[in-house]
CSV table of all heavy atoms in Angstrom, one decimal:
chain,number,residue,atom,x,y,z
L,505,GLY,N,64.5,94.9,69.4
L,505,GLY,CA,65.4,96.0,69.1
L,505,GLY,C,64.8,97.1,68.2
L,505,GLY,O,65.4,97.7,67.3
L,506,ILE,N,63.5,97.5,68.5
L,506,ILE,CA,62.8,98.5,67.7
L,506,ILE,C,63.3,99.9,68.1
L,506,ILE,O,63.4,100.2,69.3
L,506,ILE,CB,61.3,98.4,68.0
L,506,ILE,CG1,60.8,97.0,67.6
L,506,ILE,CG2,60.5,99.4,67.1
L,506,ILE,CD1,59.4,96.7,68.1
L,507,GLU,N,63.7,100.7,67.1
L,507,GLU,CA,64.2,102.0,67.4
L,507,GLU,C,63.2,102.8,68.2
L,507,GLU,O,62.0,102.8,68.0
L,507,GLU,CB,64.4,102.7,66.0
L,507,GLU,CG,65.2,104.0,66.1
L,507,GLU,CD,66.7,103.8,66.4
L,507,GLU,OE1,67.2,102.8,65.8
L,507,GLU,OE2,67.3,104.5,67.1
L,508,HIS,N,63.8,103.4,69.3
L,508,HIS,CA,63.0,104.3,70.2
L,508,HIS,C,62.1,103.5,71.2
L,508,HIS,O,61.6,104.1,72.1
L,508,HIS,CB,62.1,105.3,69.5
L,508,HIS,CG,62.9,106.2,68.5
L,508,HIS,ND1,64.0,106.8,68.8
L,508,HIS,CD2,62.6,106.4,67.2
L,508,HIS,CE1,64.4,107.5,67.7
L,508,HIS,NE2,63.6,107.2,66.7
L,509,ILE,N,62.0,102.2,71.0
L,509,ILE,CA,61.1,101.4,71.9
L,509,ILE,C,61.9,100.6,72.8
L,509,ILE,O,62.3,99.4,72.4
L,509,ILE,CB,60.1,100.6,71.0
L,509,ILE,CG1,59.3,101.4,70.0
L,509,ILE,CG2,59.1,99.9,72.0
L,509,ILE,CD1,58.5,102.5,70.6
L,510,GLY,N,62.3,101.1,73.9
L,510,GLY,CA,63.1,100.3,74.9
L,510,GLY,C,62.2,99.5,75.8
L,510,GLY,O,61.0,99.3,75.6
L,511,GLU,N,62.9,99.1,76.9
L,511,GLU,CA,62.2,98.2,77.9
L,511,GLU,C,61.0,98.9,78.5
L,511,GLU,O,59.9,98.3,78.7
L,511,GLU,CB,63.2,97.8,79.0
L,511,GLU,CG,62.7,96.8,79.9
L,511,GLU,CD,63.8,96.3,80.9
L,511,GLU,OE1,64.9,96.8,80.8
L,511,GLU,OE2,63.5,95.5,81.8
L,512,VAL,N,61.1,100.2,78.9
L,512,VAL,CA,60.0,100.9,79.6
L,512,VAL,C,58.8,101.1,78.6
L,512,VAL,O,57.7,100.8,79.0
L,512,VAL,CB,60.5,102.3,80.1
L,512,VAL,CG1,59.3,103.0,80.7
L,512,VAL,CG2,61.6,102.1,81.2
L,513,ALA,N,59.1,101.5,77.4
L,513,ALA,CA,58.0,101.7,76.4
L,513,ALA,C,57.4,100.4,76.1
L,513,ALA,O,56.2,100.3,75.9
L,513,ALA,CB,58.6,102.5,75.2
L,514,SER,N,58.2,99.4,75.9
L,514,SER,CA,57.6,98.0,75.6
L,514,SER,C,56.6,97.6,76.6
L,514,SER,O,55.5,97.1,76.3
L,514,SER,CB,58.8,97.0,75.4
L,514,SER,OG,59.6,97.3,74.4
L,515,LYS,N,57.0,97.8,77.9
L,515,LYS,CA,56.1,97.3,79.0
L,515,LYS,C,54.8,98.1,79.0
L,515,LYS,O,53.7,97.6,79.1
L,515,LYS,CB,56.9,97.4,80.3
L,515,LYS,CG,56.1,96.8,81.5
L,515,LYS,CD,57.1,96.5,82.6
L,515,LYS,CE,56.4,95.5,83.6
L,515,LYS,NZ,57.3,95.0,84.5
L,516,GLN,N,55.0,99.4,78.8
L,516,GLN,CA,53.8,100.3,78.8
L,516,GLN,C,52.8,99.9,77.7
L,516,GLN,O,51.6,99.8,77.9
L,516,GLN,CB,54.2,101.8,78.7
L,516,GLN,CG,53.1,102.8,78.8
L,516,GLN,CD,53.6,104.2,78.6
L,516,GLN,OE1,54.7,104.4,78.2
L,516,GLN,NE2,52.7,105.1,78.8
L,517,ILE,N,53.4,99.8,76.5
L,517,ILE,CA,52.5,99.5,75.3
L,517,ILE,C,51.9,98.1,75.5
L,517,ILE,O,50.7,97.9,75.2
L,517,ILE,CB,53.4,99.6,74.0
L,517,ILE,CG1,53.8,101.0,73.8
L,517,ILE,CG2,52.6,99.0,72.8
L,517,ILE,CD1,54.9,101.2,72.7
L,518,CYS,N,52.7,97.1,75.9
L,518,CYS,CA,52.1,95.7,76.0
L,518,CYS,C,51.1,95.6,77.1
L,518,CYS,O,50.1,94.9,77.0
L,518,CYS,CB,53.2,94.7,76.3
L,518,CYS,SG,54.3,94.5,74.8
L,519,LEU,N,51.3,96.4,78.2
L,519,LEU,CA,50.2,96.4,79.3
L,519,LEU,C,48.9,97.0,78.8
L,519,LEU,O,47.8,96.6,79.2
L,519,LEU,CB,50.7,97.2,80.5
L,519,LEU,CG,51.6,96.5,81.5
L,519,LEU,CD1,52.1,97.5,82.5
L,519,LEU,CD2,50.8,95.4,82.2
L,520,GLU,N,49.0,98.0,77.9
L,520,GLU,CA,47.9,98.7,77.4
L,520,GLU,C,47.1,97.9,76.3
L,520,GLU,O,45.9,97.8,76.3
L,520,GLU,CB,48.3,100.0,76.8
L,520,GLU,CG,47.1,101.0,76.5
L,520,GLU,CD,46.4,101.4,77.7
L,520,GLU,OE1,47.0,101.6,78.8
L,520,GLU,OE2,45.1,101.6,77.6
L,521,PHE,N,47.9,97.3,75.4
L,521,PHE,CA,47.2,96.7,74.2
L,521,PHE,C,47.4,95.1,74.2
L,521,PHE,O,46.6,94.5,73.4
L,521,PHE,CB,47.8,97.3,72.9
L,521,PHE,CG,47.7,98.7,72.9
L,521,PHE,CD1,48.8,99.6,73.0
L,521,PHE,CD2,46.4,99.3,72.7
L,521,PHE,CE1,48.7,100.9,72.9
L,521,PHE,CE2,46.3,100.7,72.6
L,521,PHE,CZ,47.4,101.5,72.8
L,522,GLY,N,48.3,94.5,74.9
L,522,GLY,CA,48.4,93.1,75.0
L,522,GLY,C,48.5,92.5,73.6
L,522,GLY,O,49.4,92.9,72.8
L,523,ALA,N,47.8,91.4,73.3
L,523,ALA,CA,47.9,90.7,72.0
L,523,ALA,C,47.5,91.6,70.8
L,523,ALA,O,47.8,91.2,69.7
L,523,ALA,CB,47.0,89.5,72.1
L,524,ASP,N,46.8,92.7,71.0
L,524,ASP,CA,46.4,93.6,69.9
L,524,ASP,C,47.5,94.5,69.5
L,524,ASP,O,47.3,95.4,68.7
L,524,ASP,CB,45.2,94.4,70.4
L,524,ASP,CG,43.9,93.6,70.5
L,524,ASP,OD1,43.9,92.6,69.7
L,524,ASP,OD2,43.1,93.9,71.3
L,525,ILE,N,48.7,94.3,70.0
L,525,ILE,CA,49.8,95.2,69.7
L,525,ILE,C,50.1,95.3,68.2
L,525,ILE,O,50.5,96.4,67.7
L,525,ILE,CB,51.1,94.8,70.4
L,525,ILE,CG1,52.2,95.9,70.2
L,525,ILE,CG2,51.6,93.5,70.0
L,525,ILE,CD1,53.5,95.7,71.0
L,526,LEU,N,49.9,94.2,67.4
L,526,LEU,CA,50.1,94.3,66.0
L,526,LEU,C,49.1,95.1,65.2
L,526,LEU,O,49.3,95.4,64.0
L,526,LEU,CB,50.1,92.8,65.5
L,526,LEU,CG,51.3,91.9,65.9
L,526,LEU,CD1,51.2,90.5,65.4
L,526,LEU,CD2,52.6,92.5,65.5
L,527,ASN,N,48.0,95.5,65.9
L,527,ASN,CA,46.9,96.2,65.2
L,527,ASN,C,46.7,97.6,65.8
L,527,ASN,O,45.7,98.2,65.4
L,527,ASN,CB,45.6,95.4,65.3
L,527,ASN,CG,45.8,94.0,64.7
L,527,ASN,OD1,46.3,93.9,63.6
L,527,ASN,ND2,45.4,93.0,65.4
L,528,VAL,N,47.6,98.1,66.6
L,528,VAL,CA,47.4,99.4,67.2
L,528,VAL,C,47.6,100.5,66.1
L,528,VAL,O,48.2,100.3,65.1
L,528,VAL,CB,48.4,99.7,68.3
L,528,VAL,CG1,48.2,98.8,69.5
L,528,VAL,CG2,49.9,99.6,67.8
L,529,THR,N,47.0,101.6,66.4
L,529,THR,CA,47.1,102.8,65.5
L,529,THR,C,47.9,103.9,66.1
L,529,THR,O,48.3,103.9,67.3
L,529,THR,CB,45.7,103.4,65.2
L,529,THR,OG1,45.2,103.9,66.5
L,529,THR,CG2,44.7,102.3,64.7
L,530,SER,N,48.3,104.8,65.3
L,530,SER,CA,49.2,105.9,65.7
L,530,SER,C,48.4,106.7,66.8
L,530,SER,O,49.0,107.1,67.8
L,530,SER,CB,49.5,106.8,64.5
L,530,SER,OG,50.3,107.9,65.0
L,531,GLU,N,47.1,106.9,66.6
L,531,GLU,CA,46.3,107.7,67.6
L,531,GLU,C,46.3,107.0,69.0
L,531,GLU,O,46.5,107.6,70.0
L,531,GLU,CB,44.9,107.9,67.1
L,531,GLU,CG,44.8,108.8,65.9
L,531,GLU,CD,45.2,108.1,64.6
L,531,GLU,OE1,45.3,106.9,64.6
L,531,GLU,OE2,45.4,108.9,63.6
L,532,GLN,N,46.2,105.7,68.9
L,532,GLN,CA,46.1,104.9,70.2
L,532,GLN,C,47.5,105.0,70.9
L,532,GLN,O,47.5,105.2,72.2
L,532,GLN,CB,45.8,103.4,69.9
L,532,GLN,CG,44.4,103.2,69.5
L,532,GLN,CD,44.1,101.7,69.2
L,532,GLN,OE1,44.9,101.2,68.4
L,532,GLN,NE2,43.1,101.1,69.8
L,533,LEU,N,48.6,104.9,70.2
L,533,LEU,CA,49.9,105.0,70.8
L,533,LEU,C,50.2,106.3,71.4
L,533,LEU,O,50.7,106.5,72.5
L,533,LEU,CB,51.0,104.6,69.8
L,533,LEU,CG,51.0,103.1,69.4
L,533,LEU,CD1,51.9,102.9,68.1
L,533,LEU,CD2,51.5,102.2,70.5
L,534,GLU,N,49.9,107.4,70.6
L,534,GLU,CA,50.2,108.7,71.0
L,534,GLU,C,49.3,109.2,72.2
L,534,GLU,O,49.7,110.1,72.9
L,534,GLU,CB,50.1,109.7,69.9
L,534,GLU,CG,51.2,109.5,68.8
L,534,GLU,CD,51.1,110.5,67.7
L,534,GLU,OE1,50.8,111.7,67.9
L,534,GLU,OE2,51.2,110.1,66.5
L,535,ALA,N,48.2,108.4,72.4
L,535,ALA,CA,47.4,108.8,73.6
L,535,ALA,C,48.0,108.3,74.9
L,535,ALA,O,47.6,108.8,76.0
L,535,ALA,CB,46.0,108.1,73.4
L,536,LEU,N,49.1,107.5,74.8
L,536,LEU,CA,49.7,107.0,76.0
L,536,LEU,C,50.7,108.0,76.5
L,536,LEU,O,51.4,108.7,75.7
L,536,LEU,CB,50.5,105.7,75.8
L,536,LEU,CG,49.7,104.5,75.4
L,536,LEU,CD1,50.6,103.3,75.1
L,536,LEU,CD2,48.6,104.1,76.4
L,537,ASP,N,50.8,108.2,77.8
L,537,ASP,CA,51.7,109.1,78.4
L,537,ASP,C,53.2,108.8,78.1
L,537,ASP,O,53.6,107.6,78.3
L,537,ASP,CB,51.6,109.1,80.0
L,537,ASP,CG,52.5,110.1,80.6
L,537,ASP,OD1,52.7,111.2,80.1
L,537,ASP,OD2,53.0,109.8,81.7
L,538,GLY,N,53.9,109.7,77.5
L,538,GLY,CA,55.3,109.5,77.2
L,538,GLY,C,55.6,108.9,75.8
L,538,GLY,O,56.7,108.8,75.4
Side-chain angles (χ1 to χ4, degrees):
I506 304 169
E507 192 74 37
H508 307 308
I509 308 297
E511 190 176 355
V512 174
S514 296
K515 189 157 195 172
Q516 183 184 8
I517 293 168
C518 291
L519 274 174
E520 189 68 33
F521 302 108
D524 288 333
I525 187 173
L526 293 177
N527 301 311
V528 294
T529 65
S530 179
E531 291 76 14
Q532 287 175 311
L533 288 168
E534 289 180 46
L536 297 180
D537 182 36

